């Protein structure tokens, strides 16, 4: 057991030794925290969470038209896309630009938001269109930051 604990990264090992047993190690050590002091760990968590949102989106995208779960899937994907954009906005604000590893996530969530707006337009629902347009513009802005590098 001690040999295993010696291999655990320091931020996890200190939590494992001091945390209450009611909070699992994975929840506390890998929870998204926009105020995390360690910039490297912050950037790694951003990459991890962006990939998590991308996997969540990929799991719910369906190719069947008229499928009974298509609307629920689009809602889940849209919520994940908005959450990813909010998180990457915080990363950009803190680090100056999103990490290059997050470029594919930005593209993916931007496309999900565009598909959602397109679906809203087709069904003549414009309830969240303005907010989604802000998220899409934020994606475009963050992607444009890669052009300068």
């Amino acid at each position: 057991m001690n040999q295993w604990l010696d291999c655990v990264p320091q931020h996890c090992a200190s939590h494992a030794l001091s945390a209450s047993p009611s909070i699992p190690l994975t929840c506390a050590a890998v929870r998204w925290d926009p105020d995390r002091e360690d910039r490297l760990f912050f950037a790694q968590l951003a990459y991890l969470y962006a990939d998590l949102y991308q996997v969540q989106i990929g799991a719910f995208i369906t190719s069947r038209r008229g499928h009974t779960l298509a609307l629920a899937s689009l809602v889940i994907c849209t919520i994940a896309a908005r959450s990813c954009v909010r998180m990457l906005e915080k990363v950009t604000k803190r680090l100056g630009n999103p990490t290059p590893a997050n470029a594919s996530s930005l593209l993916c969530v931007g496309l999900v938001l565009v598909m959602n707006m397109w679906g809203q337009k087709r069904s003549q629902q414009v309830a969240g269109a303005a907010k989604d347009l802000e998220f899409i513009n934020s994606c475009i802005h963050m992607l444009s930051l890669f052009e300068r590098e």
Side-chain angles (χ1 to χ4, degrees):
M1 182 73 165
N2 288 337
Q3 183 181 10
W4 174 82
L5 191 56
D6 290 340
C7 296
V8 175
Q10 185 60 36
H11 59 270
C12 293
S14 63
H15 174 75
L17 296 174
S18 65
S20 69
S22 64
I23 301 174
L25 171 66
T26 55
C27 290
V30 191
R31 182 172 289 136
W32 172 249
D33 178 13
D35 301 319
R36 190 174 295 270
E37 290 182 24
D38 184 356
R39 289 174 59 96
L40 177 62
F41 195 60
F42 175 76
Q44 290 171 342
L45 272 180
Y47 177 70
L48 181 68
Y49 270 78
D51 275 359
L52 173 70
Y53 289 127
Q54 198 169 359
V55 166
Q56 186 178 12
I57 289 168
F60 284 98
I61 289 181
T62 178
S63 61
R64 298 181 196 151
R65 281 190 154 199
H67 192 270
T68 57
L69 297 177
L71 181 60
S73 296
L74 182 60
V75 169
I76 291 169
C77 292
T78 302
I79 290 169
R82 289 173 182 157
S83 298
C84 189
V85 172
R86 278 189 216 102
M87 182 208 51
L88 291 174
E89 285 174 338
K90 291 176 182 172
V91 170
T92 302
K93 183 177 180 181
R94 181 162 172 202
L95 300 179
N97 60 352
T99 58
N102 290 330
S104 64
S105 296
L106 276 168
L107 183 61
C108 174
V109 299
L111 289 174
V112 166
L113 293 169
V114 167
M115 287 187 334
N116 184 53
M117 281 190 63
W118 180 56
Q120 286 177 345
K121 184 177 180 182
R122 286 184 63 191
S123 63
Q124 298 180 357
Q125 297 173 350
V126 291
K131 190 66 176 166
D132 281 346
L133 189 57
E134 287 178 33
F135 284 123
I136 292 168
N137 285 332
S138 182
C139 286
I140 292 169
H141 169 72
M142 287 186 280
L143 284 168
S144 71
L145 294 174
F146 293 116
E147 293 176 359
R148 298 181 192 135
E149 292 182 9

